[in-house]
Each structure stands twice: as structure tokens, then as C-alpha cells.
């Protein structure tokens, strides 16, 4: 069958990647979607069980660092668009093992870029109609201040805060022109990969695009990250490890809203440009944690406040960035994208999903899913 487009999505068996693959494979039946994933501890084909029978969907188990394999795949599937999400994504792991992050996030991205370059430059039309879209993070910008002006109550104490709220307090945001200032090995590796992507545009004319997004939440997130970890721990009556004083601030975006932004940018974003993606939805960790506790307790039929005692303050993350906050007005203004889900609704859906998908959580937390799904689908 002749497809209108042949799109390679890397990291499609991970958290965000699986939502992007699902969106593209269902919304664009005339596109071939090739999902390339190494299936590390974070990759799980169960995330895509509902779409694996689609005729426009193909899964390939491969490592983006394997340059020869990347070259072979480009021509085998006549790839004309790449959405690159494959990465090591957890900050705590990067603190323990920075080498793996440099290997996958930097060398892996370079291997993919070089394979795309050689393949596209070998075609008569060269870069015409091609796109290399790299998914990055707000963490490359460093950290912002938290302190409210003297005598003013912090807007982070009780609820998520809007852009207007923050502007009233004279707070800063990351914009697309904020200078890179990464602090963790994870963000340093992502910053490096962003630079390589832009270098391939500036040097070879490759039609690249980079977006930097804030913290995603929603179904299929690996339960090492704050929200699924805490939901799962509450269910199992395990301690909830709050780093430091729980004062750090993150901007949370529902994962399907990120996937929609990726769709918008892939199709309509300006080549060589950068877009920030965020929810204007900042929460102090401890306030967010209390919302999670309240929601899980309510859904499990526990009395209000029942699980508050599980909160356990632990040693802070090394180099823990205080606050991330994305100004996403450019994508709103230029491409008309904005988050569709209010946080209250998003967190309800998310908690409900994890409580309803205990088999998924149990398999993932036991590590069994890697052999379980190999047995089910064959070791591809
Ligand atoms: P994830 O850890 O859930 O998934 C990563 C996927 O990449 C996994 O399926 C894994 O198997 C695959 N992978 C890892 N190394 C690979 C390799 N060498 N070759 C091929 N595949 C490999 O990550 P996520 O949270 O879904 O993040 C996806 C992307 O989005 C990452 O690039 C991350 O930096 C970026 N991002 C994440 C967030 C967030 O809040 N999660 C926010 C902004 C940007
Ligand atoms: O900002 C975007 C980034 O968000 C992405 O680029 C990363 O891939 C993604 O992992 C995420 O990074 P964070 O470090 O912000 O996410 P994490 O869920 O690990 O932590 C969220 C906050 O909660 C952070 O301030 C650390 C804190 N935390 C986390 C864990 C796992 C705790 O207090 N206790 C915990 O056990």
C-alpha cells in the first residue's frame, strides 16, 4: 500500500511516545507510522495494545545508537518525517548513571540525525517535504526563582496558578529565547541533543524543529515519576518520599494535550523554529501531593486525610531545580494550540486510570512486563 507519509516515531513504547503513536496511527490512516523503540525498562508494548493490529502501524525494536540500523530503516520505510522522543528521561537515574544519558540522548540523537541526513541527501528531492522534529524539555533552561515579593503571600500555597496570577507577582517564565542553563546530567544531555539538532539545520539545511515541554502527567507513565509513583504507593500503603521540603514547583500538562501540540507542530510549525509547550499550571510539589492523596483516598473510599500520614520528607535530590515555568504563548498565538483539559479534570482521569489499571502497574513495578510481553508478542 502506498502511504501519503512515512513517519518514524522514536520512543513510541514509552509514556509520551505511546500517546503520540496512538494519535497519529488513528487520526492519519493514510500515514505509515513506524514506532522504533529499544524497549528499555521504560518501554512497554502494552501501552499500545489497542492499536497494534492497525495496518498503518509497524513496530521495530532497535537502538537509536545503532547507526547502521537507522540507515537501513530510513530507506526500508522511505521515511520522510521523524518525531524523536526516544531518550533516557528520569532525572534521578541521570544523577546515578550519567553515561547512559550521554549515550542515548546525545549520541543516539546524533546517530538518527546523521542517518536522516545521508538518506534525505541521497534522494532527488533532498530535504523537500521532510521534517526532523525533536522533543525536548523545559529543564534545559535551568531554574527560576520562587520567592514572592516582600509581604505578598506566595501564589503557590493552595492552588495551581495562572499566567495572570504570576504576572501580577512579577514572576519570570521560560520563553523560547531564554538562554540554556542545564543543571542535571539529564538536562545537560537534552540540551546537547537540542544543539545538535539545530546544528544540522544551520550546517546542512535539514528541516528541523525543536519543542520544549513542561512536566507531563497521565496514563502509561512509568511509576518512578512523581504522580504515578505516589498513586501506586498510596494504594499499597507505602511511604511517599517528598524530596527536601516539597517546595519545588513544576508546571503540569496532561499528556494528550502534549500529543496534540506535537501533531500541530509537526504539521504546521515553522522549520528551524522552537516552541515552548506548557500548561500554565504550576504546583508546589507538596500541594500537588496533597491533591493526589485527597483524590486517591476519595476514590478508594477512605476518609479524608487518611493517607496524609504516608508523607515522608527525605533527603533532597542533588542539584534539585527549584522552579520550572513555561511561557507557551507563542504556540497559542501562532498555531492556535492550547491545553484542552483543566488540571482538576486531568488529575481525576489520571488517578482513575491508575486505580483501574492495576495489572499494568503491577507488571511494570515487578519488572515482569519485559518477559511477559516478549512471551505474548515474541521478542522482536
Ligand atoms: P519514557 O522514559 O517514558 O520513554 C522513553 C522511551 O524511549 C522508552 O520507550 C524507551 O524504551 C525508549 N528508549 C530509550 N533509550 C532508547 C534507545 N537508545 N533507542 C531506542 N529507544 C530508546 O520517556 P517520556 O517521559 O515519554 O519522554 C519522552 C521524550 O519527551 C523524552 O525525549 C523526554 O526527554 C521528553 N520530555 C518528557 C517530559 C515528561 O514530563 N515526561 C517532558 C518534556 C519532554
Ligand atoms: O520538566 C520536564 C521534565 O519533567 C521532563 O523533561 C522529565 O523527563 C520528567 O521526568 C520530569 O522531570 P522531573 O524531575 O520534574 O519529574 P519527577 O516526576 O521525577 O519529579 C517531579 C518533582 O517531584 C520534582 O521536583 C522532584 C519531586 N519528587 C520526585 C519523585 C520521583 C519527589 O519529591 N519525590 C519523588 O519520589
Amino acid at each position: 500500500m502506498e502511504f501519503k507519509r512515512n513517519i518514524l516515531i522514536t520512543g513510541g513504547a514509552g509514556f509520551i511516545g505511546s500517546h503520540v503513536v496512538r494519535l497519529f496511527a488513528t487520526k492519519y490512516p493514510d500515514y505509515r507510522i513506524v514506532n522504533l523503540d529499544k524497549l528499555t525498562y521504560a518501554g512497554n508494548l502494552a501501552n499500545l495494545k489497542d492499536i497494534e493490529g492497525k495496518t498503518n502501524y509497524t513496530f521495530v525494536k532497535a537502538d537509536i545508537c545503532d547507526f547502521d540500523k537507522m540507515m537501513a530503516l530510513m530507506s526500508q520505510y522511505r521515511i520522510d518525517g521523524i518525531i524523536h522522543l526516544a531518550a533516557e528521561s528520569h532525572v534521578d537515574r541521570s544523577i546515578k548513571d550519567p553515561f547512559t544519558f550521554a549515550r542515548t540522548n546525545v549520541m543516539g540523537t546524533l546517530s538518527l540525525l546523521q542517518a536522516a541526513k545521508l538518506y534525505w541527501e541521497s534522494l532527488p528531492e533532498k530535504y523537500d517535504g521532510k521534517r526532523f522534529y525533536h522533543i525536548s524539555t523545559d529543564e534545559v533552561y535551568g531554574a527560576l526563582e520562587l520567592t514572592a515579593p516582600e509581604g505578598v503571600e506566595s501564589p503557590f500555597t493552595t492552588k495551581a496558578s495562572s499566567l495572570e496570577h504570576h504576572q501580577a507577582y512579577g514572576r519570570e517564565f521560560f520563553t523560547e529565547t531564554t538562554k540554556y542553563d542545564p543543571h542535571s546530567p539529564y538536562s545537560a544531555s537534552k540540551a546537547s541533543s537540542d544543539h545538535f539538532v539545530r546544528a544540522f539545520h544551520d550546517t546542512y539545511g535539514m528541516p528541523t524543529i525543536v519543542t520544549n515541554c513542561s512536566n507531563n502527567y497521565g496514563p502509561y507513565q512509568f511509576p518512578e515519576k512523581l504522580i504515578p509513583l505516589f498513586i501506586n504507593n498510596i494504594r499499597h500503603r507505602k511511604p511517599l518520599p517528598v524530596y527536601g521540603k516539597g517546595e519545588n514547583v513544576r508546571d503540569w500538562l496532561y499528556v494528550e494535550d502534549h500529543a496534540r501540540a506535537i501533531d500541530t507542530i509537526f504539521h504546521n510549525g515553522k522549520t528551524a523554529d522552537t516552541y515552548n509547550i506548557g500548561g500554565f499550571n504550576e504546583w508546589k510539589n507538596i500541594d500537588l501531593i496533597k491533591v493526589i492523596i485527597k483524590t486517591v483516598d476519595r476514590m478508594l473510599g477512605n476518609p479524608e486525610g487518611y493517607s496524609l500520614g504516608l508523607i515522608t520528607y527525605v533527603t533532597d535530590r542533588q542539584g534539585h531545580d527549584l522552579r520550572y515555568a513555561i511561557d507557551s504563548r507563542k504556540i497559542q498565538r501562532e498555531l492556535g494550540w492550547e491545553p484542552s483539559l483543566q488540571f482538576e479534570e486531568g488529575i481525576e482521569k489520571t488517578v482513575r486510570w491508575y486505580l483501574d489499571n492495576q495489572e499494568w502497574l503491577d507488571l511494570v513495578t515487578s519488572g515482569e512486563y519485559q518477559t511477559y510481553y516478549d512471551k505474548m508478542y515474541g521478542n522482536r
Side-chain angles (χ1 to χ4, degrees):
M1 175 178 170
E2 196 59 33
F3 288 99
K4 191 169 161 201
R5 297 210 64 169
N6 292 292
I7 299 174
L8 180 69
I9 300 182
T10 71
F15 165 48
I16 302 172
S18 61
H19 290 275
V20 176
V21 166
R22 179 175 296 100
L23 177 66
F24 273 70
T26 47
K27 185 170 172 188
Y28 303 108
D30 49 352
Y31 289 7
R32 170 159 57 192
I33 305 302
V34 181
N35 171 14
L36 183 160
D37 199 296
K38 185 182 174 184
L39 298 183
T40 66
Y41 80 94
N44 184 352
L45 286 177
N47 299 357
L48 290 164
K49 237 159 106 180
D50 54 323
I51 63 139
E52 66 176 6
K54 285 193 167 293
T55 48
N56 66 335
Y57 169 71
T58 305
F59 174 71
V60 178
K61 183 174 176 178
D63 183 340
I64 52 168
C65 299
D66 183 346
F67 172 71
D68 292 341
K69 180 91 182 183
M70 295 307 105
M71 276 303 295
L73 288 174
M74 293 292 163
S75 46
Q76 181 184 348
Y77 292 106
R78 288 176 284 129
I79 297 299
D80 55 41
I82 298 176
I83 305 178
H84 175 37
L85 297 110
E88 288 293 335
S89 67
H90 192 41
V91 175
D92 293 329
R93 286 179 190 257
S94 82
I95 294 167
K96 290 201 185 80
D97 173 21
F99 281 109
T100 306
F101 283 69
R103 180 185 178 276
T104 289
N105 299 0
V106 185
M107 292 306 292
T109 300
L110 182 55
S111 148
L112 200 59
L113 280 164
Q114 183 72 357
K117 170 186 181 288
L118 294 183
Y119 174 58
W120 288 340
E121 286 185 351
S122 76
L123 301 173
E125 78 279 10
K126 305 215 179 291
Y127 290 121
D128 273 2
K130 310 296 188 298
R131 171 145 285 184
F132 189 109
Y133 177 4
H134 176 60
I135 308 299
S136 191
T137 170
D138 58 0
E139 302 201 10
V140 296
Y141 295 125
L144 296 166
E145 286 304 315
L146 178 60
T147 12
E150 194 116 358
V152 174
E153 196 200 337
S154 162
F156 297 109
T157 46
T158 51
K159 61 175 182 66
S161 32
S162 65
L163 175 66
E164 292 71 29
H165 196 166
H166 282 291
Q167 282 176 332
Y169 288 90
R171 287 181 188 283
E172 285 183 313
F173 287 81
F174 297 134
T175 70
E176 287 79 0
T177 56
T178 301
K179 267 181 93 152
Y180 273 31
D181 183 22
H183 298 150
S184 72
Y186 164 68
S187 53
S189 69
K190 290 297 289 187
S192 173
S193 61
D194 295 6
H195 291 318
F196 269 109
V197 172
R198 294 192 177 105
F200 267 63
H201 170 266
D202 296 350
T203 308
Y204 310 112
M206 184 183 281
T208 61
I209 204 153
V210 177
T211 55
N212 300 81
C213 188
S214 63
N215 284 60
N216 285 218
Y217 72 99
Y220 301 113
Q221 186 167 32
F222 195 83
E224 62 187 349
K225 309 280 166 53
L226 181 78
I227 292 182
L229 175 73
F230 277 38
I231 297 171
N232 198 38
N233 282 11
I234 297 168
R235 186 164 71 87
H236 293 289
R237 311 301 307 150
K238 282 164 76 176
L240 307 175
V242 180
Y243 297 164
K245 294 182 181 153
E247 302 241 299
N248 303 65
V249 172
R250 297 291 183 266
D251 167 17
W252 295 92
L253 178 69
Y254 192 68
V255 62
E256 287 178 3
D257 277 331
H258 188 190
R260 276 197 310 106
I262 290 172
D263 178 19
T264 301
I265 286 161
F266 181 78
H267 289 99
N268 303 318
K270 218 163 84 213
T271 295
D273 216 340
T274 290
Y275 298 87
N276 279 352
I277 306 169
F280 284 127
N281 176 41
E282 290 176 65
W283 287 81
K284 227 184 214 186
N285 287 342
I286 192 65
D287 294 329
L288 173 65
I289 287 162
K290 286 178 183 161
V291 171
I292 297 168
I293 291 174
K294 198 170 169 176
T295 313
V296 178
D297 274 344
R298 176 168 45 76
M299 289 188 187
L300 289 179
N302 297 329
E304 189 161 346
Y306 181 71
S307 300
L308 282 172
L310 296 175
I311 290 179
T312 309
Y313 290 92
V314 299
T315 310
D316 208 353
R317 174 184 277 175
Q318 287 173 280
H320 197 173
D321 284 335
L322 189 56
R323 171 176 170 244
Y324 304 139
I326 277 285
D327 181 341
S328 56
R329 282 176 296 175
K330 177 174 166 179
I331 179 178
Q332 298 194 3
R333 192 177 56 243
E334 294 186 8
L335 302 176
W337 172 90
E338 57 182 8
S340 67
L341 215 63
Q342 289 296 313
F343 184 68
E344 289 67 20
E345 201 186 327
I347 205 76
E348 283 283 309
K349 276 178 80 156
T350 302
V351 172
R352 173 56 57 212
W353 189 86
Y354 286 99
L355 295 181
D356 286 350
N357 286 274
Q358 309 213 337
E359 190 206 15
W360 184 90
L361 262 176
D362 290 343
L363 284 170
V364 167
T365 44
S366 69
E368 246 181 81
Y369 66 97
Q370 284 173 317
T371 49
Y372 180 89
Y373 286 102
D374 275 352
K375 271 187 224 138
M376 235 170 125
Y377 303 122
N379 191 353
R380 295 180 247 192

